[in-house]
Amino acid sequence: MKSITVKAPGRINLIGEHIDYNHGFVLPAAINKSAIVSISKRSDQQIHLTAIDILDELIIESFSDLVIQEKKWANYIIGVIAQFQKKHSFEVGFNLAITSDVPIGAGLSSSAAIECAVAYGLNELFELGIDKMELAFMAQKAEHEFAGVQCGIMDQFASIFGKSDQVVLLDCASMEFEYFPLILTDYQIVLFDTGVKHALANSEYNTRKFECEKGLQLIQQQHPHIKSFREVSITMLEACIDKIKNANIYKRCKYVIEEIHRTMEATKNLKQNDLTSFGEKMFATHEGLSLLYEVSCPELDILVNAVKDNTNVLGARMMGGGFGGCTINIIKQTEIQQVVHEMSTIYKAQTGQDLKHYEVQIVSGAQVCS
Ligand code: GLA
């Protein structure tokens, strides 16, 4: 029976956090940690799913049984199959086995990696001819409908469209994008993993999205021509303060407006190899995420504060949805070992936990392995 093996990576995001669903710009890249799926057709209508890493299995009797399961891992896969079912009917079932080395809950998009590997693999195996952008949107829909997170498009986009050694500036309103090389000369990206994922993460994520939508609607009452936060300045926001009575909504809007602007400036810095200015903006983003957007947590703040005055670290901030996961840092190559050592000591002393770190490489997006 014909079978196919596909891998899809996790991602980092240089800057532009919580901005994708606010129709601004983001700057992600795919990393050398991936989900790998192997899929082969069956002769009946059953779907057999195997999670290799946790030795678990699930058999779905037919395509009419694609519903949310108690086994969480299965939902990322079934969610994607359900999207295919809406448009294309499969003539036969399949066996699908999955393994992944994207750390779970680390803010590196382990779920998007699974969704994209499944979407890419099914499209190839059944020769459906769906284009890559459509696959990314289908994977995102799976997250909305089967994982309950109203995520933006950044993670799935990066997992499918990543390019080796390049970052990609994505306009989340038009979905136009531009690659450019990430040149860090004698610096390197290092991620520090808090090792925590707070239970709040998913519900608070959805709340932030709602708060931003509400905030934009209130601004639109004063400025009906405005389509997104991209067209809103801080002065315009201040002028709407009587309408936006809720302090949280005001803070969320302020962060989004500032981060959209900061991301554009930071992208210029990066293109001009001005890593010092870029790094300063990373710290500013963290402050916004922590104080205005309120998606950080004590562990993330400890990690960012610990490198703030370290001259070997140009910039650091929490990355991804927040409430745990990783910080992204730009560290002088020759000093990485020393910084890791210092950070591990600080983290252990302040939280009692061991600190993991990852030195990631930037790789290409989803692809067929065999
Ligand atoms: C999660 C979501 C993304 C994005 C980030 C925050 O990773 O899946 O869509 O919103 O959080 O930037």
Side-chain angles (χ1 to χ4, degrees):
M1 220 20 123
K2 189 179 165 191
S3 93
I4 196 168
T5 302
V6 164
K7 73 172 179 185
R11 61 103 191 89
I12 52 170
N13 183 28
L14 273 296
I15 199 157
E17 212 66 88
H18 281 275
I19 288 304
D20 54 356
Y21 57 86
N22 282 308
H23 302 119
F25 295 84
V26 292
L27 198 56
I31 55 168
N32 57 331
K33 294 186 179 296
S34 309
I36 302 180
V37 295
S38 190
I39 321 175
S40 60
K41 289 184 185 175
R42 297 175 58 84
S43 49
D44 57 21
Q45 290 285 309
Q46 292 189 344
I47 304 169
H48 287 219
L49 304 180
T50 308
I52 296 170
D53 306 325
I54 52 168
L55 300 175
D56 201 6
E57 278 186 342
L58 181 72
I59 296 178
I60 297 161
E61 291 300 329
S62 86
F63 285 98
S64 47
D65 297 335
L66 297 172
V67 290
I68 294 177
Q69 305 286 321
E70 260 174 46
K71 292 178 194 284
K72 270 191 169 174
W73 62 268
N75 287 324
Y76 301 112
I77 303 170
I78 297 169
V80 173
I81 305 169
Q83 306 312 315
F84 278 83
Q85 263 304 97
K86 288 181 189 171
K87 295 180 186 160
H88 311 267
S89 52
F90 293 101
E91 71 274 21
V92 287
F94 47 87
N95 300 322
L96 186 155
I98 186 146
T99 176
S100 174
D101 67 352
V102 187
I104 293 169
L108 303 180
S109 298
S110 55
S111 57
I114 296 175
E115 291 150 2
C116 292
V118 173
Y120 204 92
L122 288 176
N123 188 40
E124 291 289 326
L125 182 67
F126 288 90
E127 295 173 17
L128 298 171
I130 303 170
D131 73 44
K132 289 196 336 183
M133 195 61 91
E134 176 78 19
L135 289 177
F137 280 116
M138 288 164 80
Q140 179 198 27
K141 247 327 179 17
E143 186 88 26
H144 290 181
E145 293 176 1
F146 279 71
V149 183
Q150 297 303 310
C151 66
I153 191 65
M154 172 172 75
D155 303 351
Q156 292 80 6
F157 171 83
S159 183
I160 289 187
F161 284 88
K163 219 178 200 183
S164 86
D165 300 323
Q166 314 257 320
V167 287
V168 45
L169 178 68
L170 172 67
D171 176 337
C172 299
S174 69
M175 292 307 285
E176 280 168 12
F177 54 96
E178 174 201 340
Y179 295 103
F180 65 94
L182 182 63
I183 300 167
L184 298 177
T185 44
D186 45 355
Y187 284 83
Q188 197 172 313
I189 288 176
V190 179
L191 310 177
F192 288 115
D193 189 348
T194 59
V196 298
K197 180 175 167 66
H198 293 284
L200 282 174
N202 291 355
S203 63
E204 288 293 316
Y205 185 96
N206 292 345
T207 304
R208 291 301 172 281
K209 181 160 187 273
F210 173 79
E211 288 168 336
C212 290
E213 283 165 3
K214 187 80 206 152
L216 186 64
Q217 276 165 19
L218 294 170
I219 297 167
Q220 281 168 331
Q221 286 178 8
Q222 202 131 313
H223 302 278
H225 60 282
I226 273 165
K227 291 200 187 64
S228 79
F229 281 109
R230 277 153 79 148
E231 297 152 74
V232 184
S233 65
I234 293 292
T235 320
M236 286 160 77
L237 175 68
E238 302 289 341
C240 293
I241 204 132
D242 292 343
K243 283 203 185 328
I244 308 174
K245 295 187 184 79
N246 182 309
N248 281 345
I249 294 187
Y250 172 79
K251 285 194 281 185
R252 311 311 183 226
C253 294
K254 185 162 192 271
Y255 167 76
V256 171
I257 295 165
E258 286 177 352
E259 180 72 352
I260 289 176
H261 178 69
R262 190 158 43 225
T263 301
M264 296 317 292
E265 294 302 306
T267 301
K268 280 187 214 153
N269 297 154
L270 209 53
K271 285 181 175 172
Q272 291 161 357
N273 287 342
D274 181 357
L275 291 180
T276 306
S277 304
F278 184 82
E280 282 162 8
K281 294 192 176 63
M282 290 172 80
F283 283 121
T285 292
H286 184 79
E287 196 174 305
L289 287 166
S290 183
L291 301 177
L292 295 174
Y293 218 64
E294 296 177 293
V295 291
S296 187
C297 64
E299 295 87 346
L300 286 165
D301 291 343
I302 288 171
L303 291 177
V304 173
N305 285 333
V307 293
K308 244 188 187 146
D309 298 322
N310 190 325
T311 49
N312 295 314
V313 184
L314 292 184
R317 61 177 196 84
M318 58 148 277
M319 189 179 70
F323 301 101
C326 285
T327 62
I328 175 169
N329 304 257
I330 299 186
I331 305 184
K332 192 159 196 174
Q333 235 157 24
T334 52
E335 306 304 318
I336 291 177
Q337 257 192 335
Q338 179 60 26
V339 175
V340 167
H341 177 71
E342 286 166 17
M343 293 292 286
S344 302
T345 313
I346 294 173
Y347 199 62
K348 186 82 178 179
Q350 297 201 22
T351 67
Q353 305 294 317
D354 291 328
L355 181 64
K356 275 186 278 183
H357 75 283
Y358 315 110
E359 290 173 37
V360 289
Q361 262 86 56
I362 296 183
V363 302
S364 296
Q367 57 195 281
V368 175
C369 308
S370 63

